Amino acid sequence: PGTTGGDLYKAYHIAKRTHKRTEGITVVILDRVIGLVSFLLLAAVTIFASWKKDMIGDYGRWVGYLTFVFLIACALFFSLRFRKLIRYDSLLLRLPMSDKLRRIDQTALSMRYHRTDALISLAITLISHVFSVISVYLLARGVGIHPTGTRTEGELFQACLLATVVGYLFAAIPISIQGFGLLEAVFLKVLVEGHWATPSQMLALTLGTRV
């Protein structure tokens, strides 16, 4: 379900093959978080770049706001001063299953001390996502979606980028197989309501992207 369903599969098999099950499952979660951060960074850039063009309306702005809040939360999570200020470790001990939560927390926090590896992982993920966007753009051209009038290829690429990154953020919500319907809703908003494509072209594009 969603584009995150494979994480459950990975987590299950990692847990079967290691004695550090909590840490192993946490790594799968962190992998997903790094992917999420990558898409959020791309989404933030494109949303703020197209802020005045109103390509995705209020939905895009809310993704922009949530991106800002998420990045602030990440900074606070990795801040030792903030943890000490709110007595984070003491708060963690009061929660149910505090031992497992502490191990999850320490596994995630360890990225703070392996910044080079974490940044390389993020960079590779960003490159992968950029190629995903390029493939969507080329497929859009392949199904007959072209700029018309005074519009440019650059604006079409920006529309594809916005639809892809925001669409996959929504598609990660595990309520349908491969996020079907959620991804289409975003592509409909950006490409169809933005007068780039017909509904048939949009559907061919999203199905082709999955293939």
Side-chain angles (χ1 to χ4, degrees), residues 102-140:
R102 183 184 59 79
R103 289 164 63 188
I104 291 171
D105 176 66
Q106 290 303 309
T107 303
L109 187 64
S110 67
M111 287 200 298
R112 189 181 194 278
Y113 307 104
H114 300 278
R115 296 179 187 179
T116 301
D117 291 332
L119 288 173
I120 290 173
S121 177
L122 178 59
I124 291 170
T125 305
L126 271 167
I127 292 168
S128 172
H129 287 164
V130 168
F131 273 110
S132 295
V133 173
I134 292 171
S135 72
V136 169
Y137 165 73
L138 293 174
L139 189 59

Side-chain angles (χ1 to χ4, degrees), residues 137 141 144-156 195-196:
Y137 165 73
R141 294 294 307 274
I145 299 173
H146 303 287
T148 57
T150 59
R151 289 179 163 184
T152 65
E153 290 291 346
E155 289 176 323
L156 174 58
H195 305 293
W196 289 101

Side-chain angles (χ1 to χ4, degrees), residues 139 168 178 204-211:
L139 189 59
Y168 273 102
Q178 281 297 303
L205 179 58
T206 55
L207 292 174
T209 299
R210 288 187 174 90
V211 171

